[in-house]
Amino acid sequence: MKIVSDFLVIGTGIAGLTYALKVADRGTVALVTKRDIDVTATQLAQGGIASVFSTEDSFADHARDTIVAGSYLSHPDIVDLVISSGPKSIQALIDWGVNFSRNDNQQYDLTREGGHSFRRILHAKDSTGREIERALVEAVMRHPNIILYQHHIAVDLITSAKIGLACSTKNHCLGAYVLDKNSNTVITFEARFTALATGGAGKVYLYTCNPDIATGDGVAIGWRAGAHVANMEFMQFHPTTLYHPHAKSFLISEAVRGEGAILRRADGYAFMADYHPLKDLAPRDIVARAIDNEMKKHGDDCVFLDITHKSTEYIIDHFPMIHETCLGYGIDMKVEPIPVVPAAHYLCGGLQSDAHGETNITNLFAIGEVACTGLHGANRLASNSLLEGVVFADRAAAICLSRLEQTPTPPAVIPAWDSGDATDSDEEVIVAHNWDEIRRCMWNYVGIVRSDKRLQRAMNRIKLIQREINEYYWNFLLTSDLIELRNITTVARLIVQSALMRKESRGLHYTIDYPEKDDERFLHDTVIRGLNQPIKESRRQIVTANK
Protein backbone atom coordinates (compact mmCIF):
# COMPACT_ATOMS: atom_id res chain seq x y z
CA MET A 1 0.00 0.00 0.00
CA LYS A 2 1.22 3.49 -0.89
CA ILE A 3 0.11 6.90 0.42
CA VAL A 4 1.36 10.03 -1.36
CA SER A 5 1.19 13.57 0.01
CA ASP A 6 3.05 16.84 -0.25
CA PHE A 7 3.99 16.83 3.43
CA LEU A 8 4.54 13.92 5.81
CA VAL A 9 4.46 14.86 9.50
CA ILE A 10 5.40 12.25 12.09
CA GLY A 11 4.30 13.32 15.56
CA THR A 12 1.35 15.31 16.91
CA GLY A 13 2.67 17.50 19.71
CA ILE A 14 2.98 21.27 19.49
CA ALA A 15 5.69 21.13 16.79
CA GLY A 16 4.02 18.58 14.50
CA LEU A 17 0.54 20.10 14.71
CA THR A 18 1.81 23.66 14.22
CA TYR A 19 3.85 22.64 11.17
CA ALA A 20 0.88 20.75 9.70
CA LEU A 21 -1.41 23.76 10.09
CA LYS A 22 1.18 26.12 8.62
CA VAL A 23 1.61 24.10 5.39
CA ALA A 24 -1.88 22.64 4.92
CA ASP A 25 -3.32 25.57 2.96
CA ARG A 26 -0.78 24.92 0.20
CA GLY A 27 -0.70 21.13 -0.01
CA THR A 28 -1.85 17.77 1.28
CA VAL A 29 -0.60 16.60 4.69
CA ALA A 30 -0.29 13.05 6.01
CA LEU A 31 -0.18 13.31 9.81
CA VAL A 32 1.14 10.15 11.49
CA THR A 33 1.01 9.37 15.21
CA LYS A 34 1.64 6.08 16.95
CA ARG A 35 -1.25 6.37 19.41
CA ASP A 36 -4.21 8.77 19.62
CA ILE A 37 -3.53 12.26 18.32
CA ASP A 38 -3.40 13.86 21.78
CA VAL A 39 -1.14 11.29 23.46
CA THR A 40 1.93 13.51 23.46
CA ALA A 41 4.49 15.09 25.77
CA THR A 42 2.93 18.46 24.93
CA GLN A 43 -0.33 17.25 26.48
CA LEU A 44 1.50 16.67 29.79
CA ALA A 45 3.33 20.02 29.92
CA GLN A 46 2.29 21.89 33.03
CA GLY A 47 4.36 25.03 33.57
CA GLY A 48 3.96 27.00 30.37
CA ILE A 49 5.73 28.64 27.45
CA ALA A 50 8.42 31.28 27.95
CA SER A 51 8.41 34.56 26.04
CA VAL A 52 8.89 38.26 26.60
CA PHE A 53 5.44 39.77 27.24
CA SER A 54 6.26 42.18 30.10
CA THR A 55 7.63 45.72 29.75
CA GLU A 56 10.00 44.93 32.61
CA ASP A 57 11.51 42.06 30.61
CA SER A 58 13.57 42.11 27.41
CA PHE A 59 14.81 39.79 24.67
CA ALA A 60 18.35 40.36 25.94
CA ASP A 61 17.41 39.22 29.45
CA HIS A 62 15.67 36.09 28.14
CA ALA A 63 18.68 35.33 25.92
CA ARG A 64 21.09 35.76 28.82
CA ASP A 65 19.07 33.43 31.05
CA THR A 66 18.95 30.82 28.26
CA ILE A 67 22.70 30.94 27.66
CA VAL A 68 23.57 30.82 31.37
CA ALA A 69 21.24 27.84 31.93
CA GLY A 70 22.78 26.15 28.87
CA SER A 71 26.24 26.47 30.44
CA TYR A 72 27.35 28.74 27.55
CA LEU A 73 27.00 25.97 24.97
CA SER A 74 23.87 27.48 23.38
CA HIS A 75 24.34 29.05 19.95
CA PRO A 76 23.83 32.82 20.43
CA ASP A 77 22.40 33.35 16.94
CA ILE A 78 19.77 30.62 17.45
CA VAL A 79 18.97 31.89 20.95
CA ASP A 80 18.33 35.39 19.58
CA LEU A 81 16.28 34.04 16.68
CA VAL A 82 13.99 31.90 18.86
CA ILE A 83 13.48 34.47 21.59
CA SER A 84 12.77 37.35 19.22
CA SER A 85 10.30 35.13 17.33
CA GLY A 86 8.49 34.16 20.52
CA PRO A 87 5.69 36.77 20.74
CA LYS A 88 4.66 36.28 17.09
CA SER A 89 4.63 32.48 17.40
CA ILE A 90 2.62 32.60 20.61
CA GLN A 91 0.15 34.95 18.97
CA ALA A 92 -0.41 32.24 16.33
CA LEU A 93 -1.32 29.83 19.12
CA ILE A 94 -3.75 32.38 20.53
CA ASP A 95 -5.27 32.85 17.08
CA TRP A 96 -5.86 29.08 16.91
CA GLY A 97 -7.79 29.29 20.15
CA VAL A 98 -5.30 28.73 22.98
CA ASN A 99 -6.57 30.41 26.15
CA PHE A 100 -3.70 31.44 28.41
CA SER A 101 -4.50 32.45 31.98
CA ARG A 102 -5.13 36.15 32.67
CA ASN A 103 -5.12 38.16 35.90
CA ASP A 104 -7.89 40.39 37.28
CA ASN A 105 -6.84 43.16 34.88
CA GLN A 106 -7.18 40.78 31.93
CA GLN A 107 -3.42 40.89 31.31
CA TYR A 108 -1.58 37.61 30.83
CA ASP A 109 -0.77 36.09 34.22
CA LEU A 110 2.97 35.65 33.78
CA THR A 111 4.76 33.36 36.22
CA ARG A 112 8.43 32.64 36.89
CA GLU A 113 10.41 29.42 36.90
CA GLY A 114 13.92 28.30 37.79
CA GLY A 115 16.70 30.11 35.91
CA HIS A 116 14.48 33.01 34.76
CA SER A 117 15.22 36.58 35.88
CA PHE A 118 11.69 37.81 35.28
CA ARG A 119 8.11 36.59 35.10
CA ARG A 120 7.77 35.54 31.47
CA ILE A 121 5.92 32.20 31.52
CA LEU A 122 2.50 32.20 29.86
CA HIS A 123 0.38 29.37 31.18
CA ALA A 124 -3.11 27.92 31.39
CA LYS A 125 -3.24 27.29 35.14
CA ASP A 126 -1.04 24.18 35.53
CA SER A 127 -2.35 22.43 32.40
CA THR A 128 -0.74 24.55 29.68
CA GLY A 129 0.14 21.67 27.40
CA ARG A 130 -3.35 20.24 27.57
CA GLU A 131 -4.82 23.59 26.51
CA ILE A 132 -2.35 24.01 23.64
CA GLU A 133 -2.92 20.45 22.44
CA ARG A 134 -6.71 20.89 22.61
CA ALA A 135 -6.70 24.02 20.45
CA LEU A 136 -4.26 22.66 17.86
CA VAL A 137 -6.04 19.29 17.59
CA GLU A 138 -9.35 21.04 16.99
CA ALA A 139 -7.78 23.19 14.27
CA VAL A 140 -6.13 20.18 12.62
CA MET A 141 -9.34 18.13 12.65
CA ARG A 142 -11.17 20.96 10.89
CA HIS A 143 -8.65 21.28 8.05
CA PRO A 144 -9.66 19.46 4.85
CA ASN A 145 -6.08 18.99 3.61
CA ILE A 146 -4.84 17.12 6.68
CA ILE A 147 -5.41 13.36 6.85
CA LEU A 148 -4.72 11.79 10.23
CA TYR A 149 -3.22 8.31 10.64
CA GLN A 150 -3.51 7.27 14.28
CA HIS A 151 -1.90 4.12 15.66
CA HIS A 152 0.79 4.17 12.99
CA ILE A 153 4.49 4.01 13.90
CA ALA A 154 7.39 4.93 11.61
CA VAL A 155 9.80 2.08 10.90
CA ASP A 156 12.47 3.80 8.82
CA LEU A 157 12.89 6.77 6.50
CA ILE A 158 13.11 6.41 2.73
CA THR A 159 16.02 8.31 1.19
CA SER A 160 17.48 8.61 -2.28
CA ALA A 161 20.73 7.06 -1.04
CA LYS A 162 18.92 4.09 0.47
CA ILE A 163 17.10 3.19 -2.74
CA GLY A 164 20.07 4.00 -5.01
CA LEU A 165 18.48 7.04 -6.64
CA ALA A 166 20.70 9.91 -7.80
CA CYS A 167 19.34 13.28 -6.57
CA SER A 168 22.25 15.59 -7.41
CA THR A 169 25.08 15.02 -4.92
CA LYS A 170 22.90 15.17 -1.81
CA ASN A 171 20.85 12.61 0.03
CA HIS A 172 17.12 13.45 -0.16
CA CYS A 173 14.32 12.24 2.09
CA LEU A 174 11.40 10.81 0.11
CA GLY A 175 9.10 9.65 2.91
CA ALA A 176 8.95 6.75 5.36
CA TYR A 177 7.90 3.16 5.87
CA VAL A 178 5.20 3.12 8.54
CA LEU A 179 3.64 0.20 10.42
CA ASP A 180 -0.15 0.33 10.64
CA LYS A 181 -0.69 -1.11 14.12
CA ASN A 182 -4.34 -1.83 13.33
CA SER A 183 -3.61 -4.23 10.45
CA ASN A 184 0.06 -4.96 11.27
CA THR A 185 1.08 -4.05 7.72
CA VAL A 186 3.85 -1.71 6.60
CA ILE A 187 2.70 1.18 4.40
CA THR A 188 4.89 3.30 2.13
CA PHE A 189 4.33 7.01 2.82
CA GLU A 190 5.81 9.15 0.04
CA ALA A 191 6.15 12.94 0.40
CA ARG A 192 8.04 15.92 -0.94
CA PHE A 193 8.90 17.01 2.60
CA THR A 194 9.13 14.98 5.81
CA ALA A 195 8.98 16.56 9.27
CA LEU A 196 10.01 14.51 12.28
CA ALA A 197 8.23 15.83 15.39
CA THR A 198 8.36 12.66 17.45
CA GLY A 199 9.41 14.20 20.77
CA GLY A 200 11.98 12.92 23.21
CA ALA A 201 13.45 9.73 24.62
CA GLY A 202 12.68 9.62 28.34
CA LYS A 203 11.65 5.95 28.13
CA VAL A 204 15.31 5.10 27.55
CA TYR A 205 15.53 5.48 31.34
CA LEU A 206 13.84 3.40 34.02
CA TYR A 207 12.29 6.41 35.74
CA THR A 208 10.83 9.19 33.63
CA CYS A 209 7.94 11.64 33.65
CA ASN A 210 7.60 11.24 29.88
CA PRO A 211 4.64 9.47 28.29
CA ASP A 212 5.14 5.88 27.12
CA ILE A 213 5.50 7.08 23.53
CA ALA A 214 8.84 8.83 24.26
CA THR A 215 11.11 6.12 22.86
CA GLY A 216 13.42 8.28 20.74
CA ASP A 217 11.89 7.12 17.46
CA GLY A 218 12.73 10.22 15.44
CA VAL A 219 16.35 10.36 16.56
CA ALA A 220 16.82 6.65 15.79
CA ILE A 221 15.23 6.59 12.35
CA GLY A 222 16.88 9.90 11.40
CA TRP A 223 20.34 8.68 12.42
CA ARG A 224 19.87 5.36 10.61
CA ALA A 225 18.96 7.32 7.47
CA GLY A 226 22.16 9.37 7.70
CA ALA A 227 21.16 12.43 9.74
CA HIS A 228 23.74 13.71 12.22
CA VAL A 229 22.92 13.81 15.93
CA ALA A 230 24.29 16.31 18.44
CA ASN A 231 24.62 16.71 22.22
CA MET A 232 22.99 13.42 23.12
CA GLU A 233 24.82 13.35 26.47
CA PHE A 234 22.61 16.15 27.77
CA MET A 235 19.52 14.38 29.13
CA GLN A 236 17.66 16.64 31.54
CA PHE A 237 16.38 15.09 34.73
CA HIS A 238 13.43 17.02 36.08
CA PRO A 239 14.17 17.65 39.76
CA THR A 240 10.65 17.18 41.07
CA THR A 241 8.46 14.25 40.15
CA LEU A 242 5.99 12.81 42.63
CA TYR A 243 7.47 10.02 44.75
CA HIS A 244 4.71 7.46 45.15
CA PRO A 245 4.59 3.76 44.19
CA HIS A 246 1.54 4.26 41.95
CA ALA A 247 2.21 7.76 40.56
CA LYS A 248 4.32 6.65 37.58
CA SER A 249 6.65 9.66 37.99
CA PHE A 250 3.96 12.35 37.82
CA LEU A 251 5.70 15.68 37.25
CA ILE A 252 5.42 18.50 39.80
CA SER A 253 5.77 21.64 37.70
CA GLU A 254 8.74 23.97 37.92
CA ALA A 255 6.15 26.69 38.49
CA VAL A 256 5.51 25.38 42.01
CA ARG A 257 9.05 26.41 42.96
CA GLY A 258 8.60 29.52 40.84
CA GLU A 259 5.73 30.53 43.11
CA GLY A 260 7.74 30.03 46.30
CA ALA A 261 7.90 26.31 47.13
CA ILE A 262 10.97 25.22 49.12
CA LEU A 263 12.89 21.95 48.80
CA ARG A 264 13.53 20.31 52.17
CA ARG A 265 15.10 17.14 53.49
CA ALA A 266 13.06 14.75 55.62
CA ASP A 267 14.34 16.60 58.71
CA GLY A 268 12.91 19.88 57.34
CA TYR A 269 16.24 21.45 56.36
CA ALA A 270 16.02 23.73 53.28
CA PHE A 271 19.16 22.59 51.47
CA MET A 272 19.24 24.52 48.17
CA ALA A 273 21.00 27.53 49.73
CA ASP A 274 24.02 25.21 50.10
CA TYR A 275 24.20 24.69 46.32
CA HIS A 276 23.34 27.92 44.47
CA PRO A 277 22.66 31.63 45.13
CA LEU A 278 19.22 31.28 43.48
CA LYS A 279 18.38 28.52 45.97
CA ASP A 280 15.18 26.75 44.83
CA LEU A 281 15.10 28.76 41.59
CA ALA A 282 18.46 27.47 40.37
CA PRO A 283 18.60 25.83 36.89
CA ARG A 284 17.33 22.27 36.69
CA ASP A 285 20.69 20.55 36.35
CA ILE A 286 21.90 22.07 39.61
CA VAL A 287 18.66 21.30 41.48
CA ALA A 288 18.57 17.68 40.22
CA ARG A 289 22.18 17.05 41.28
CA ALA A 290 21.54 18.68 44.66
CA ILE A 291 18.56 16.41 45.31
CA ASP A 292 20.50 13.36 44.14
CA ASN A 293 23.38 14.27 46.46
CA GLU A 294 21.14 14.90 49.46
CA MET A 295 19.35 11.57 48.98
CA LYS A 296 22.60 9.64 48.71
CA LYS A 297 24.30 11.51 51.57
CA HIS A 298 21.46 10.98 54.03
CA GLY A 299 20.13 7.65 52.73
CA ASP A 300 16.69 9.10 51.98
CA ASP A 301 14.33 7.81 49.31
CA CYS A 302 13.13 11.32 48.39
CA VAL A 303 13.11 14.97 49.39
CA PHE A 304 10.09 17.21 49.98
CA LEU A 305 8.66 20.21 48.13
CA ASP A 306 6.95 22.53 50.59
CA ILE A 307 4.44 25.20 49.57
CA THR A 308 2.30 25.00 52.70
CA HIS A 309 3.15 28.61 53.59
CA LYS A 310 0.84 29.73 50.74
CA SER A 311 -2.89 30.04 51.34
CA THR A 312 -5.33 27.28 50.46
CA GLU A 313 -7.02 29.53 47.90
CA TYR A 314 -3.70 30.40 46.24
CA ILE A 315 -2.62 26.76 45.87
CA ILE A 316 -5.93 25.56 44.46
CA ASP A 317 -6.17 28.52 42.07
CA HIS A 318 -2.62 28.22 40.71
CA PHE A 319 -2.17 24.44 40.74
CA PRO A 320 -5.59 22.80 40.46
CA MET A 321 -4.42 19.76 38.50
CA ILE A 322 -1.36 19.09 40.66
CA HIS A 323 -3.43 19.57 43.82
CA GLU A 324 -6.12 17.17 42.62
CA THR A 325 -3.61 14.56 41.48
CA CYS A 326 -1.69 14.64 44.76
CA LEU A 327 -4.95 14.29 46.69
CA GLY A 328 -5.68 11.18 44.66
CA TYR A 329 -2.49 9.66 46.11
CA GLY A 330 -3.33 10.76 49.66
CA ILE A 331 -1.06 13.84 49.70
CA ASP A 332 -2.61 17.22 50.55
CA MET A 333 -0.09 19.82 49.33
CA LYS A 334 -2.02 22.55 51.20
CA VAL A 335 -0.94 21.18 54.58
CA GLU A 336 1.98 18.79 53.90
CA PRO A 337 5.09 18.83 51.67
CA ILE A 338 5.07 16.78 48.47
CA PRO A 339 7.59 13.88 48.33
CA VAL A 340 9.65 14.27 45.14
CA VAL A 341 12.57 12.67 43.26
CA PRO A 342 14.31 13.46 39.95
CA ALA A 343 13.35 11.57 36.77
CA ALA A 344 14.44 11.65 33.12
CA HIS A 345 12.57 14.48 31.48
CA TYR A 346 13.94 16.23 28.38
CA LEU A 347 16.52 15.40 25.73
CA CYS A 348 18.51 18.57 24.95
CA GLY A 349 20.29 16.83 22.08
CA GLY A 350 18.79 15.22 19.00
CA LEU A 351 18.97 15.40 15.23
CA GLN A 352 21.24 18.28 14.31
CA SER A 353 19.25 20.90 12.42
CA ASP A 354 19.85 24.35 10.95
CA ALA A 355 18.04 27.66 11.51
CA HIS A 356 15.04 26.32 9.53
CA GLY A 357 14.92 22.92 11.21
CA GLU A 358 16.46 21.05 8.27
CA THR A 359 18.87 18.19 8.86
CA ASN A 360 21.85 17.33 6.66
CA ILE A 361 19.41 15.21 4.59
CA THR A 362 17.63 17.44 2.09
CA ASN A 363 13.88 17.89 2.78
CA LEU A 364 14.10 16.09 6.13
CA PHE A 365 13.18 18.42 8.99
CA ALA A 366 13.44 17.87 12.73
CA ILE A 367 11.31 20.09 14.96
CA GLY A 368 10.60 20.07 18.68
CA GLU A 369 12.38 17.84 21.19
CA VAL A 370 13.63 15.46 18.50
CA ALA A 371 15.93 18.22 17.20
CA CYS A 372 19.16 19.77 18.41
CA THR A 373 18.85 23.35 17.19
CA GLY A 374 21.50 24.97 19.37
CA LEU A 375 18.98 26.70 21.64
CA HIS A 376 19.36 24.64 24.82
CA GLY A 377 23.10 24.03 24.94
CA ALA A 378 24.02 21.79 27.88
CA ASN A 379 20.77 22.35 29.79
CA ARG A 380 17.32 23.58 28.77
CA LEU A 381 15.93 26.64 30.50
CA ALA A 382 12.47 25.89 31.90
CA SER A 383 9.55 26.46 29.48
CA ASN A 384 11.80 27.10 26.48
CA SER A 385 10.78 23.76 24.96
CA LEU A 386 7.26 24.66 23.83
CA LEU A 387 8.68 27.94 22.54
CA GLU A 388 11.32 26.15 20.46
CA GLY A 389 8.73 23.74 19.06
CA VAL A 390 6.35 26.41 17.81
CA VAL A 391 9.08 28.73 16.46
CA PHE A 392 10.88 26.02 14.48
CA ALA A 393 7.62 24.58 13.20
CA ASP A 394 6.91 28.00 11.72
CA ARG A 395 10.40 28.35 10.25
CA ALA A 396 10.42 24.82 8.79
CA ALA A 397 7.00 25.40 7.24
CA ALA A 398 8.15 28.68 5.68
CA ILE A 399 11.20 27.16 3.96
CA CYS A 400 9.21 24.15 2.74
CA LEU A 401 6.53 26.36 1.23
CA SER A 402 9.20 28.46 -0.51
CA ARG A 403 10.50 25.27 -2.21
CA LEU A 404 7.17 23.64 -2.90
CA GLU A 405 6.92 24.47 -6.59
CA GLN A 406 10.53 23.43 -7.26
CA THR A 407 10.34 20.12 -5.38
CA PRO A 408 8.97 17.22 -7.44
CA THR A 409 6.87 14.42 -6.01
CA PRO A 410 8.87 11.29 -5.11
CA PRO A 411 9.65 8.99 -8.04
CA ALA A 412 7.63 5.87 -8.71
CA VAL A 413 10.68 3.63 -8.24
CA ILE A 414 10.40 3.56 -4.42
CA PRO A 415 10.13 -0.14 -3.50
CA ALA A 416 7.40 -1.45 -1.24
CA TRP A 417 8.36 -2.86 2.15
CA ASP A 418 9.66 -6.42 1.88
CA SER A 419 9.40 -8.67 4.95
CA GLY A 420 11.49 -11.37 3.28
CA ASP A 421 11.40 -14.69 5.18
CA ALA A 422 10.43 -13.11 8.52
CA THR A 423 7.91 -15.06 10.58
CA ASP A 424 5.70 -14.36 13.59
CA SER A 425 7.64 -14.43 16.83
CA ASP A 426 6.85 -16.83 19.65
CA GLU A 427 9.48 -15.26 21.94
CA GLU A 428 8.02 -11.86 22.92
CA VAL A 429 9.63 -12.31 26.33
CA ILE A 430 12.96 -11.42 24.71
CA VAL A 431 11.62 -7.98 23.76
CA ALA A 432 10.28 -7.35 27.25
CA HIS A 433 13.49 -8.51 28.94
CA ASN A 434 15.80 -6.41 26.75
CA TRP A 435 13.55 -3.36 27.14
CA ASP A 436 13.81 -3.59 30.94
CA GLU A 437 17.56 -4.27 30.91
CA ILE A 438 18.36 -1.28 28.68
CA ARG A 439 16.36 1.10 30.88
CA ARG A 440 17.91 -0.18 34.12
CA CYS A 441 21.38 -0.03 32.61
CA MET A 442 20.88 3.59 31.56
CA TRP A 443 19.47 4.60 34.94
CA ASN A 444 22.28 2.94 36.91
CA TYR A 445 25.26 3.93 34.74
CA VAL A 446 24.24 6.95 32.60
CA GLY A 447 22.16 8.96 35.05
CA ILE A 448 22.57 12.25 36.89
CA VAL A 449 26.17 11.46 37.98
CA ARG A 450 28.47 9.50 35.65
CA SER A 451 31.99 8.11 35.35
CA ASP A 452 34.03 6.67 32.50
CA LYS A 453 33.88 3.25 34.14
CA ARG A 454 30.08 3.34 34.41
CA LEU A 455 29.71 4.62 30.87
CA GLN A 456 31.99 1.93 29.41
CA ARG A 457 30.08 -0.73 31.32
CA ALA A 458 26.84 0.60 29.84
CA MET A 459 28.30 0.67 26.33
CA ASN A 460 29.50 -2.93 26.53
CA ARG A 461 26.08 -4.17 27.60
CA ILE A 462 24.18 -2.03 25.08
CA LYS A 463 26.32 -3.31 22.19
CA LEU A 464 25.54 -6.89 23.16
CA ILE A 465 21.80 -6.20 23.43
CA GLN A 466 21.88 -4.35 20.12
CA ARG A 467 23.36 -7.38 18.36
CA GLU A 468 20.60 -9.56 19.82
CA ILE A 469 17.91 -7.11 18.72
CA ASN A 470 19.28 -6.76 15.19
CA GLU A 471 19.19 -10.53 14.74
CA TYR A 472 15.68 -10.68 16.15
CA TYR A 473 14.59 -7.72 14.00
CA TRP A 474 15.43 -9.39 10.70
CA ASN A 475 14.09 -12.82 11.61
CA PHE A 476 10.60 -11.89 12.81
CA LEU A 477 7.71 -9.78 11.56
CA LEU A 478 7.55 -6.26 12.89
CA THR A 479 5.56 -5.25 15.93
CA SER A 480 5.27 -1.86 17.58
CA ASP A 481 7.14 -3.16 20.65
CA LEU A 482 10.03 -4.43 18.54
CA ILE A 483 10.31 -1.12 16.66
CA GLU A 484 10.40 0.84 19.92
CA LEU A 485 12.95 -1.53 21.48
CA ARG A 486 15.21 -1.15 18.45
CA ASN A 487 14.89 2.62 18.73
CA ILE A 488 15.56 3.00 22.45
CA THR A 489 18.62 0.77 22.11
CA THR A 490 19.93 2.95 19.27
CA VAL A 491 19.31 6.12 21.26
CA ALA A 492 20.86 4.65 24.41
CA ARG A 493 24.04 3.86 22.51
CA LEU A 494 24.18 7.38 21.04
CA ILE A 495 23.77 8.90 24.52
CA VAL A 496 26.57 6.77 25.96
CA GLN A 497 28.85 7.40 22.98
CA SER A 498 28.34 11.15 23.30
CA ALA A 499 28.91 11.06 27.06
CA LEU A 500 32.19 9.17 26.63
CA MET A 501 33.41 11.84 24.20
CA ARG A 502 32.89 14.78 26.58
CA LYS A 503 35.78 14.75 29.07
CA GLU A 504 34.42 17.49 31.31
CA SER A 505 31.37 18.31 33.42
CA ARG A 506 28.99 20.80 31.84
CA GLY A 507 25.29 21.34 32.39
CA LEU A 508 23.43 18.04 32.44
CA HIS A 509 26.57 15.96 31.88
CA TYR A 510 28.35 15.52 35.22
CA THR A 511 31.18 13.03 35.54
CA ILE A 512 33.23 12.35 38.66
CA ASP A 513 36.31 11.75 36.47
CA TYR A 514 36.23 15.31 35.07
CA PRO A 515 34.29 17.43 37.60
CA GLU A 516 35.17 20.84 36.09
CA LYS A 517 34.24 22.59 32.85
CA ASP A 518 36.94 22.69 30.17
CA ASP A 519 36.15 25.61 27.85
CA GLU A 520 39.44 25.27 26.01
CA ARG A 521 38.68 21.79 24.68
CA PHE A 522 34.91 21.30 24.99
CA LEU A 523 33.06 24.56 24.39
CA HIS A 524 31.37 23.05 21.35
CA ASP A 525 28.71 20.55 20.37
CA THR A 526 29.25 16.80 20.45
CA VAL A 527 28.20 15.53 17.01
CA ILE A 528 27.96 11.94 15.81
CA ARG A 529 27.64 11.57 12.07
CA GLY A 530 24.63 9.79 10.63
CA LEU A 531 24.98 6.13 9.80
CA ASN A 532 27.14 5.61 6.68
CA GLN A 533 27.71 9.36 6.28
CA PRO A 534 31.10 11.01 5.67
CA ILE A 535 32.77 12.85 8.55
CA LYS A 536 32.54 16.65 8.49
CA GLU A 537 34.23 18.92 10.99
CA SER A 538 33.62 22.53 12.01
CA ARG A 539 34.69 24.87 14.77
CA ARG A 540 31.68 24.08 16.97
CA GLN A 541 31.60 20.33 16.44
CA ILE A 542 33.22 17.14 17.60
CA VAL A 543 32.43 14.54 14.95
CA THR A 544 33.11 10.85 15.34
CA ALA A 545 32.77 7.77 13.21
CA ASN A 546 30.29 5.17 14.35
CA LYS A 547 32.10 2.42 16.19
Side-chain angles (χ1 to χ4, degrees), residues 120-141:
R120 62 168 69 101
I121 314 300
L122 290 94
H123 63 100
K125 297 293 186 181
D126 59 349
S127 302
T128 310
R130 184 184 301 173
E131 171 60 16
I132 291 173
E133 189 80 10
R134 176 203 62 77
L136 293 180
V137 167
E138 289 178 3
V140 161
M141 299 304 284

Side-chain angles (χ1 to χ4, degrees), residues 283-302:
R284 288 178 176 176
D285 60 324
I286 294 167
V287 179
R289 279 200 303 276
I291 294 173
D292 182 70
N293 186 58
E294 291 292 323
M295 289 166 55
K296 288 176 178 174
K297 187 166 61 175
H298 296 278
D300 295 332
D301 293 327
C302 66

Side-chain angles (χ1 to χ4, degrees), residues 330-520:
I331 301 163
D332 188 349
M333 64 186 288
K334 302 189 299 296
V335 297
E336 61 183 321
I338 306 168
V340 294
V341 292
H345 179 53
Y346 189 90
L347 181 63
C348 291
L351 296 176
Q352 189 181 40
S353 62
D354 64 16
H356 291 282
E358 191 167 19
T359 69
N360 57 291
I361 300 176
T362 302
N363 294 337
L364 175 65
F365 293 80
I367 50 178
E369 191 175 351
V370 69
C372 182
T373 65
L375 174 66
H376 305 308
N379 178 35
R380 175 176 68 89
L381 181 65
S383 290
N384 268 357
S385 52
L386 294 178
L387 175 67
E388 179 189 44
V390 70
V391 168
F392 272 92
D394 179 65
R395 293 186 62 80
I399 198 69
C400 290
L401 292 175
S402 73
R403 296 181 191 168
L404 185 58
E405 301 304 323
Q406 293 77 39
T407 303
T409 56
V413 296
I414 294 177
W417 180 262
D418 183 5
S419 297
D421 297 326
T423 60
D424 284 320
S425 170
D426 58 358
E427 299 181 5
E428 286 295 316
V429 66
I430 295 175
V431 174
H433 175 79
N434 282 337
W435 178 283
D436 182 70
E437 186 171 356
I438 281 286
R439 298 179 68 208
R440 289 184 183 276
C441 175
M442 291 296 290
W443 184 260
N444 291 332
Y445 301 135
V446 200
I448 296 172
V449 177
R450 302 163 178 176
S451 70
D452 281 353
K453 185 176 181 179
R454 295 174 195 171
L455 292 173
Q456 194 57 61
R457 186 173 295 161
M459 179 62 84
N460 292 341
R461 186 59 198 136
I462 289 167
K463 284 182 177 179
L464 179 60
I465 294 174
Q466 198 166 38
R467 286 197 293 271
E468 294 174 0
I469 292 169
N470 285 339
E471 180 180 352
Y472 190 94
Y473 178 84
W474 294 111
N475 288 338
F476 298 104
L477 294 174
L478 290 182
T479 66
S480 178
D481 288 344
L482 177 56
I483 293 169
E484 290 183 329
L485 174 62
R486 184 189 186 209
N487 289 339
I488 71 161
T489 309
T490 298
V491 171
R493 182 167 176 174
L494 291 171
I495 291 172
V496 176
Q497 186 173 342
S498 296
L500 282 167
M501 293 165 63
R502 185 167 289 277
K503 306 297 186 182
E504 65 159 358
S505 289
R506 183 184 299 272
L508 300 166
H509 173 70
Y510 183 83
T511 169
I512 59 176
D513 294 316
Y514 311 94
E516 304 297 330
K517 281 195 295 188
D518 183 351
D519 287 346
E520 183 176 346

Side-chain angles (χ1 to χ4, degrees), residues 236-256:
Q236 187 176 76
F237 290 80
H238 197 287
T240 55
T241 59
L242 180 61
Y243 178 70
H244 189 280
H246 305 300
K248 202 175 181 181
S249 299
F250 172 74
L251 187 147
I252 306 298
S253 171
E254 187 100 10
V256 179

